[in-house]
Amino acid sequence: MPGFELFGELERKEVQKVLDSGVLMRYGFDGMRNGQWKARELENALANRMQTRYAQLVSSGTAALTVAMASAGVGAGDEVILPTFTFVASFESVLALGAVPVLANIDDTLTLDPESVRQAITPRTKVIMPVHMCGSLADLGALTEIAKEHNLLLVEDACQAIGGSYAGKPLGSIGDLGCFSFDYVKTITCGEGGALITNNEAYYQNADHFSDHGHDHVGNDRGAETHPFLGYNYRISELNAAVGVAQIGRLDAFLEIQEKNYRTLEHAIQDIPGVSLRRIPDSGVQNYSFLNFFMPTEAKAREAHKSLLAGGVDGCFYWYDNNWHYHRKWDHLKDQISLGKLPHEVRDQLGRMKQQDFSLSDHWMGRTISVLIKIGWTEEEVIDRAGRLQSILRDI
Ligand SMILES: Cc1ncc(COP(=O)(O)O)c(C=O)c1O
């Protein structure tokens, strides 16, 4: 997920415009800023590219998830269903609101298994949060159905899959709200940053206010603005937004290179006996940021991971053992280890997680290897990598 790989002159130009204006904050200082409104510019470009009515930039992808759910009224004790395979940001964003993360199994898409989602629903469930991990997507058709049936919100975490699509629609635009991260290692980056998109005007207005201390943004005197409700500070700076303005203009070019490199690696491994590719839901299109495949057994996956690294194929991940992306190492969540006291709703409702059976997830994750796709590789480097992948996996 390498926006930083092709970082250069275009980004410098946009940042320079902000530095020249002298206004680093996205709100206010109208007279001083020489017409530079980089956060607004990026919001417009993002909404346009994602075919939604609204986009709200914030300080990170984690903030985007928090603000998205807050904007739709998620609060203390509400349950949010999310997958066992995701980044810790998913449950952090839920806990930040006093809400309760509920884990559901993944299937061979490496994202939420619709049947496990059904089983996880309780009278307190408010949100289903599919996380489109490693460049591909959840079965949004099935999850949309479940959300409608139970009157739940669908909040897409598309932080790792910007540019992918489902049934012709950009990922992030299908749920009630969708979230992106523009941190340093995502397909496009602001350095740090994130955004939510939605077609719901009320959610957008709430997000706009909530992410800036509750400011209603009426008029041009910040001190005189009113605060219709409590908020917080999740603002992005103009400097970060400026980098994103340059990067979003390059998104489709990045995706094209990503897919080309992905296809070369995919071609090299697809016929190797025992190796099978992750399932992409019907009418889904990945953003091709990772090549994800299953080995026939956990032991073979471990061996493949070791051999690939030893064989000079860097950027390979065995998530099953990873501290940050898979439930097995989330003891701090399961044991509720926090600096301060957690809300009683979280303490009461989170306890059952330790007894839950995630063997279905382990079945898939224990056998999964993900190979990062970079866009800075030369053609020779991609061909060399494909050859190494093929010969190493064939020997296992
Ligand atoms: C799936 C997913 N969700 C959320 C985030 C959080 O994004 P950020 O680092 O911008 O807070 C990440 C970041 O790695 C992620 O991978």
Side-chain angles (χ1 to χ4, degrees):
M1 295 179 289
F4 65 85
E5 284 186 79
L6 300 185
F7 182 91
E9 194 50 38
L10 290 167
E11 287 75 10
R12 268 191 284 279
K13 253 193 204 157
E14 294 298 339
V15 172
Q16 194 60 50
K17 287 182 202 167
V18 175
L19 291 173
D20 290 345
S21 81
V23 179
L24 309 187
M25 186 175 177
R26 69 159 300 178
Y27 297 114
F29 304 95
D30 296 24
M32 290 168 56
R33 52 195 317 141
N34 295 329
Q36 298 299 323
W37 297 91
K38 290 299 166 195
R40 280 191 199 168
E41 206 177 323
L42 180 50
E43 283 166 350
N44 289 336
L46 187 66
N48 192 34
R49 172 63 178 76
M50 297 303 157
Q51 302 166 26
T52 52
R53 288 174 70 195
Y54 308 106
Q56 176 68 43
L57 272 184
V58 287
S59 50
S60 69
T62 315
L65 292 165
T66 303
V67 174
M69 288 186 283
S71 303
V74 175
D78 291 333
E79 291 183 353
V80 178
I81 298 174
L82 45 93
T84 50
F85 176 43
T86 181
F87 183 52
V88 290
S90 306
F91 62 75
E92 290 167 351
S93 66
V94 175
L95 292 170
L97 297 170
V100 183
V102 173
L103 299 183
N105 276 311
I106 55 163
D107 59 17
D108 57 346
T109 63
L110 298 180
T111 59
L112 279 178
D113 167 34
E115 196 41 50
S116 298
V117 170
R118 279 190 190 281
Q119 287 164 13
I121 293 172
T122 75
R124 293 180 294 269
T125 307
K126 187 119 183 201
V127 179
I128 300 172
M129 185 194 285
V131 185
H132 306 309
M133 282 298 276
C134 294
S136 184
L137 59 147
D139 184 347
L140 288 170
L143 295 174
T144 305
E145 279 292 301
I146 299 173
K148 273 198 189 131
E149 221 175 278
H150 294 267
N151 197 22
L152 304 173
L153 291 161
L154 194 69
V155 177
E156 287 177 77
D157 178 340
C159 290
Q160 291 197 11
I162 190 167
S165 65
Y166 177 77
K169 288 180 167 180
L171 294 182
S173 72
I174 294 129
D176 299 281
L177 294 131
C179 298
F180 301 106
S181 163
F182 303 128
D183 74 22
Y184 187 57
V185 293
K186 295 301 185 289
T187 300
I188 56 171
T189 184
C190 290
E192 295 284 1
L196 62 90
I197 55 174
T198 183
N199 286 312
N200 183 306
E201 188 178 358
Y203 297 164
Y204 165 67
Q205 286 292 344
N206 289 344
D208 168 86
H209 301 359
F210 182 75
S211 58
D212 184 24
H213 302 292
H215 273 270
D216 65 6
H217 298 142
V218 174
N220 56 9
D221 176 357
R222 269 180 78 76
E225 290 175 16
T226 64
H227 31 71
F229 48 75
L230 294 168
Y232 206 74
N233 178 5
Y234 292 106
R235 287 191 309 260
I236 193 167
S237 86
E238 284 287 277
L239 288 171
N240 293 95
V243 176
V245 166
Q247 289 254 304
I248 196 159
R250 310 176 72 190
L251 172 62
D252 289 305
F254 289 175
L255 292 172
E256 207 174 300
I257 306 171
Q258 216 156 251
E259 179 174 358
K260 189 163 169 271
N261 292 348
Y262 175 99
R263 295 279 181 213
T264 305
L265 299 192
E266 178 191 50
H267 184 71
I269 69 160
Q270 65 192 3
D271 295 326
I272 299 176
V275 174
S276 54
L277 294 171
R278 164 195 199 167
R279 178 168 64 86
I280 313 301
D282 287 347
S283 73
V285 177
Q286 311 179 56
N287 85 345
Y288 303 101
S289 52
F290 284 89
L291 175 67
N292 306 281
F293 56 90
F294 303 114
M295 296 300 290
T297 62
E298 183 187 323
K300 287 197 183 239
R302 287 184 187 282
E303 192 188 335
H305 183 237
K306 237 169 134 183
S307 304
L308 287 167
L309 293 184
V313 185
D314 63 352
C316 293
F317 296 88
Y318 183 58
W319 303 112
Y320 193 58
D321 284 345
N322 183 289
N323 282 342
W324 298 94
H325 293 81
Y326 193 55
H327 80 91
R328 288 200 324 143
K329 300 290 176 72
W330 295 343
D331 296 335
H332 60 325
L333 172 68
K334 293 177 185 176
D335 293 334
Q336 307 187 24
I337 301 169
S338 64
L339 289 177
K341 205 167 165 185
L342 290 166
H344 71 82
E345 289 91 343
V346 174
R347 292 204 307 263
D348 295 348
Q349 288 160 236
L350 200 60
R352 67 191 142 114
M353 191 180 281
K354 277 194 94 157
Q355 276 74 54
Q356 266 182 281
D357 173 14
F358 296 122
S359 51
L360 268 178
S361 300
D362 294 348
H363 169 76
W364 295 110
M365 197 44 60
R367 298 192 290 120
T368 300
I369 301 283
S370 298
V371 179
L372 182 68
I373 305 295
K374 290 195 183 165
I375 52 180
W377 290 329
T378 62
E379 209 167 327
E380 292 73 43
E381 282 170 330
V382 183
I383 291 168
D384 173 65
R385 181 165 288 255
R388 283 171 200 248
L389 251 178
Q390 191 178 58
S391 68
I392 292 168
L393 294 180
R394 268 204 179 128
D395 286 348
I396 287 170

